[in-house]
Amino acid sequence: MSEAQVKKRNVRPLARIVATADSEMSPNDFCIAPNSSIKKVLQRANMSIGQMDFIEINEAFAVAALANMKLLDVPLERVNVWGGAIALGHPIGVSGARILNTLARILIHHKKKLGVAAICNGGGGSSAVII
């Protein structure tokens, strides 16, 4: 929603999008593609992974979040803190919306400012958003 619409409707946004990025890897490596898009969005925003208060990584498989955590060198305490897609749901067509909304709510709940959400797709691509 544009800033003009926010004012017109007198609503309060849950979050502000800082930056977005897409990347791709070999389809065989799709589970670790989020680390690539996270690195790309952080570079685009001139930020580091250490600046992110929380991280949401959609897991197509349980190992996906763990593998990406290792590649990004981030602690478990900052990733999927309310559970991942296996626990909360992996709705076809809206998984990205689910992880982004979860991240926004986590940031609000913990009174934190920055987070990154990332998701892979079956073709080797991935997307990431910093809010």
Side-chain angles (χ1 to χ4, degrees):
M1 182 180 294
S2 70
E3 187 174 349
Q5 285 296 315
V6 167
K7 288 178 182 176
K8 179 181 175 182
R9 296 170 190 264
N10 195 30
V11 294
R12 183 174 170 249
L14 292 176
R16 180 181 65 87
I17 295 174
V18 175
T20 65
D22 295 305
S23 65
E24 63 284 328
M25 301 180 82
S26 164
N28 292 335
D29 296 326
F30 80 95
C31 276
I32 59 169
N35 96 85
S36 176
S37 61
I38 289 173
K39 288 175 182 175
K40 190 173 181 179
V41 77
L42 289 168
Q43 183 178 27
R44 186 170 282 169
N46 197 28
M47 295 179 162
S48 70
I49 195 72
Q51 291 175 275
M52 300 298 109
D53 296 307
F54 292 102
I55 302 158
E56 281 289 310
I57 300 174
N58 194 67
E59 69 239 352
F61 303 98
V63 73
L66 296 172
N68 284 285
M69 286 170 42
K70 184 174 181 174
L71 291 167
L72 293 164
D73 193 28
V74 293
L76 177 64
E77 295 79 25
R78 291 178 32 217
V79 179
N80 296 353
V81 296
W82 286 354
I86 294 169
L88 298 176
H90 185 14
I92 295 174
V94 293
S95 294
R98 204 278 303 151
I99 65 170
L100 200 54
N101 185 55
T102 299
L103 179 60
R105 292 294 182 182
I106 289 168
L107 291 169
I108 291 166
H109 178 79
H110 290 282
K111 296 183 170 85
K112 297 295 184 179
K113 297 285 185 194
L114 289 170
V116 62
I119 190 168
C120 64
N121 68 45
S126 66
S127 300
V129 179
I130 295 174
I131 59 172

